[in-house]
Amino acid sequence: MTSGYDEAYRAFQQAFAGYSDGSRLDHLRATDYERLDRLGHVYLDYTGGSLHAASQVRRHADLLLSTVLGNPHSDNPSSLDASRLVDRARASVLSFFNADPAEYDVIFTPNATGALKLVGEAYPFEPGGRLVLTYDNHNSVNGLREFARRRGAQVTYLPVLTPDLRVDGDAVLAELGQITRGKPHLFAFPAQSNFSGVQHPLAWIERAQQAGWQVILDAAAYVPTNRFDLSTVHPDFVSVSFYKMFGYPSGLGALIARHDALGTLRRPWFAGGTITVASVQDERWHHLASGHAGFEDGTVDYLGLPAVEIGLEHLSSIGIDAIHDRVMALTGWLLTRLTSATHSNGAPMARVFGPTGLDRRGATVAFHLMAPDGTAYEVGAIEDRANAARISLRTGCFCNPGDGEVAHGISKDAMAQCFAGPSVPVSFLDCAETLRASIGRAPNTLRASLGIASNFADVHTFVAFVETFRDLPFGSMLPR
Ligand SMILES: Cc1ncc(COP(=O)(O)O)c(C=O)c1O
C-alpha cells in the first residue's frame, strides 16, 4: 500500500475507535473471506446481502456428507436426525437473540418477506382497526397495507423528515394514542432503514404496546451488525433474513413471534405440515397445529437449516459487538470523507441522504455524487464506473419508496403521474422518466453498506474511486 494509504489509515484510527488492528476480523478477512482480495472485489452491498465465510460452507458440507437426513415429517432414523437439527436451528435463533422460549417462537420462512406475509395474511384486520407504518419501511412491509385495506382497517403513514430522514417521535406517540379500544391495531417499522441507515427508537415498541397496539418490527437490516436482545425489547413480531446476517444459506429467514401474538393470528389456509388432522369428508374439518408448526407450510428446508445454526455460531464466535464497532468506525470515516470532499471550485462532491454523523444510524449510506456545477451525476453512469473497478455498490430505490420520495423531494402530484389509472401498467423505467421530467433527474440513489468482512482497504478504495470524479464536468459523464 502507498504512503497515502498509511497516512489515511493513521488518521482514521485516530479519529474513530472500534477498528482494532490485528483483530479477529482482520484474520478472518485474510482466511475465511480471502476470496474478496484474491478475486479483487470491493464488496459494499452488505445491506443487500452479507457474505458467507468459507468455514460456514465447509462445516455445512461436512455435516451433510457425514449424515443421512430425510424429510422431517416422519419417525424413521434419517427423519428424526433431520428433526433434531431443525430443532437445534430453532433453539439457536432464540438463543442468539436472547429470547425466552417461554415467550417467543421461531417460524422458519424463505426470507424476511415470507415472515411479513405470514403476519399480513393472518392478522385480524377489521373496520375500526388500524395499521400504522413509518415511511421508511421496505416494500415487503408496505405490502401489509393491502391486507389491511382489503379488510377495512385504516392505513396511516408517518412521514420521515429531511434532512436526516427520521420520523418525528412526538408524531409517532400522538398517532399511537388514536385508537378504538378492543380492535386490533398493528404498528410496523424498521429497526433500521435499509435506505438511510436511520435506527428508530426501540422504546417505541413498549410505548405502542402500552397504548394497545401490536408491533411488527422489521429487523432485517438491523440485526447483521447490531445486538438485538429480545429480553430487553418485546415486539410481537420480528422479521429477519439469514443471508443478510451471515450470507449463507440465501433461502431462509424467520418470523420470531411472541406466543400470545401468534395466538391472535388467523391463518387463511392450511397445508401439509401445518395441521394435526384434516379430513376430506367435510370441507370444514381440519385442526391447525399449534405454534410454529401451524405456520410452516409444507416441508421446511431441513438441509439448509443446519447452516443457520452454523452461521449464528460464526457470528457469535466473532461477537456482534466487535462487528458493530468495526463497521461503525468505517462508516464514520466514510461519512466524513464523503461530506468533506469538494471540487476545486469548493462545490461538494457528494450528497448523503440521511444522517451524516454516527448518532442513531447503522452502516448503510445512501448518497449521490455531484458534479462541480451542483448537478448529481447519473447513478447508472457511476455504477458503470464502479463495476469496471470491481466495486459492488447498490443503486436504485432499494424497495424503499418512502425514504426515496422524501430524499428526492418527489411530491404526491409528481408521483401521481405513475399511477394515472389502476389499469395502466407503468414500468419502473417509465415512472423514472416521468419523475425525471418533474424533478430534473431520475430518482435513483447510490448505496454503500458495510458488514462482517469490511475492512479499511475497502472503504479507502471506494473513497479513492469517489475522488476520481473531482472536477469532472457533468457533461463528461454520459448517461448509460
Ligand atoms: C429492511 C428490510 N426489510 C425487508 C427486506 C426483505 O428481505 P428479503 O428480500 O430477504 O425478504 C429487506 C431486503 O433488503 C430489507 O432491507
Side-chain angles (χ1 to χ4, degrees):
M1 289 284 175
T2 62
S3 64
Y5 176 90
D6 293 340
E7 219 171 279
Y9 185 54
R10 266 194 301 279
F12 158 65
Q13 287 225 301
Q14 269 164 20
F16 297 98
Y19 184 94
S20 54
D21 223 357
S23 71
R24 179 152 159 68
L25 279 158
D26 283 331
H27 176 68
L28 286 176
R29 171 66 184 244
T31 53
D32 248 350
Y33 300 95
E34 60 78 34
R35 65 188 189 283
L36 277 170
D37 296 310
R38 176 165 45 84
L39 302 173
H41 273 275
V42 175
Y43 187 78
L44 297 174
D45 190 20
Y46 287 86
T47 299
S50 188
L51 297 178
H52 58 268
S55 60
Q56 282 170 252
V57 181
R58 277 193 212 104
R59 275 188 66 191
H60 188 223
D62 287 349
L63 180 96
L64 297 183
L65 296 175
S66 61
T67 45
V68 176
L69 301 175
N71 188 310
H73 293 143
S74 191
D75 283 328
N76 60 54
S78 52
S79 177
L80 291 172
D81 279 352
S83 297
R84 193 175 42 82
L85 289 170
V86 169
D87 289 346
R88 275 178 42 177
R90 210 181 299 281
S92 72
V93 174
L94 289 170
S95 157
F96 184 83
F97 293 117
N98 205 16
D100 181 350
E103 182 182 7
Y104 278 99
D105 202 346
V106 172
I107 294 152
F108 288 118
T109 59
N111 43 36
T113 302
L116 293 157
K117 188 169 176 218
L118 273 183
V119 177
E121 67 187 10
Y123 196 78
F125 292 117
E126 63 174 52
R130 299 189 65 193
L131 170 67
V132 166
L133 313 101
T134 56
Y135 257 34
D136 56 354
N137 277 301
H138 188 277
N139 270 337
S140 295
V141 180
N142 288 326
L144 292 173
R145 72 190 193 200
E146 295 303 296
F147 295 111
R149 276 194 321 122
R150 237 169 253 156
R151 292 187 214 131
Q154 184 196 347
V155 177
T156 308
Y157 270 105
L158 293 164
V160 295
L161 307 171
T162 53
D164 277 4
L165 303 180
R166 291 191 197 280
V167 180
D168 174 2
D170 290 339
V172 172
L173 298 183
E175 198 62 55
L176 294 176
Q178 315 272 321
I179 59 161
T180 310
R181 288 270 163 198
K183 296 285 181 181
H185 306 292
L186 187 61
F187 177 37
F189 71 98
Q192 177 174 317
S193 161
N194 70 315
F195 184 112
S196 63
V198 158
Q199 294 180 343
H200 294 301
L202 296 182
W204 286 349
I205 296 167
E206 196 179 344
R207 295 295 292 269
Q209 289 167 332
Q210 281 167 350
W213 296 73
Q214 288 184 307
V215 177
I216 181 160
L217 183 75
D218 178 16
Y222 184 79
V223 289
T225 57
N226 293 277
R227 179 170 293 279
F228 181 59
D229 186 331
L230 283 170
S231 73
T232 58
V233 289
H234 303 270
D236 297 274
F237 307 102
V238 180
S239 51
V240 298
S241 276
F242 292 116
Y243 71 92
K244 290 191 191 289
M245 298 177 72
F246 39 78
Y248 174 85
S250 56
L252 278 166
L255 172 65
I256 308 170
R258 290 171 57 111
H259 296 292
D260 56 357
L262 270 189
T264 63
L265 299 183
R266 298 282 166 263
R267 290 223 69 192
W269 83 322
F270 66 89
T274 64
I275 42 105
T276 52
V277 56
S279 166
V280 294
Q281 301 196 47
D282 184 316
E283 75 274 9
R284 290 165 305 178
W285 285 349
H286 77 271
H287 287 300
L288 211 60
S290 62
H292 56 258
F295 288 85
E296 288 176 343
D297 294 338
T299 304
V300 290
D301 181 1
Y302 58 95
L303 294 186
L305 280 168
V308 168
E309 184 182 2
I310 292 168
L312 292 171
E313 279 177 9
H314 177 68
L315 283 189
S316 297
S317 72
I318 302 162
I320 197 76
D321 296 330
I323 297 168
H324 173 266
D325 292 353
R326 182 170 167 109
V327 297
M328 292 320 293
L330 292 172
T331 303
W333 192 73
L334 173 61
L335 285 168
T336 305
R337 297 302 295 256
L338 277 180
T339 52
S340 62
T342 52
H343 294 285
S344 301
N345 67 0
M349 291 179 68
R351 179 174 169 206
V352 169
F353 299 106
T356 52
L358 290 183
D359 180 35
R360 292 169 295 145
R361 66 131 53 242
T364 299
V365 179
F367 61 96
H368 270 168
L369 295 186
M370 316 295 290
D373 66 358
T375 320
Y377 299 116
E378 287 284 335
V379 162
I382 307 257
E383 186 175 39
D384 286 345
R385 282 171 73 126
N387 291 353
R390 290 179 88 67
I391 298 174
S392 290
L393 296 171
R394 190 73 157 199
T395 61
C397 69
F398 325 132
C399 286
N400 193 321
D403 267 341
E405 286 166 33
V406 174
H408 299 304
I410 303 170
S411 67
K412 186 170 181 183
D413 283 348
M415 211 61 228
Q417 298 169 75
C418 297
F419 300 94
S423 58
V424 184
V426 173
S427 74
F428 179 76
L429 283 181
D430 288 342
C431 179
E433 283 316 306
T434 305
L435 293 175
R436 184 194 293 279
S438 300
I439 63 171
R441 56 181 162 73
N444 290 334
T445 313
L446 291 145
R447 184 181 78 186
S449 55
L450 306 174
I452 189 163
S454 297
N455 67 7
F456 182 72
D458 292 332
V459 185
H460 186 265
T461 304
F462 174 64
V463 166
F465 167 78
V466 169
E467 280 166 1
T468 63
F469 290 85
R470 180 160 292 116
D471 297 338
L472 206 66
F474 177 78
S476 66
M477 282 282 292
L478 292 175
R480 269 184 172 156

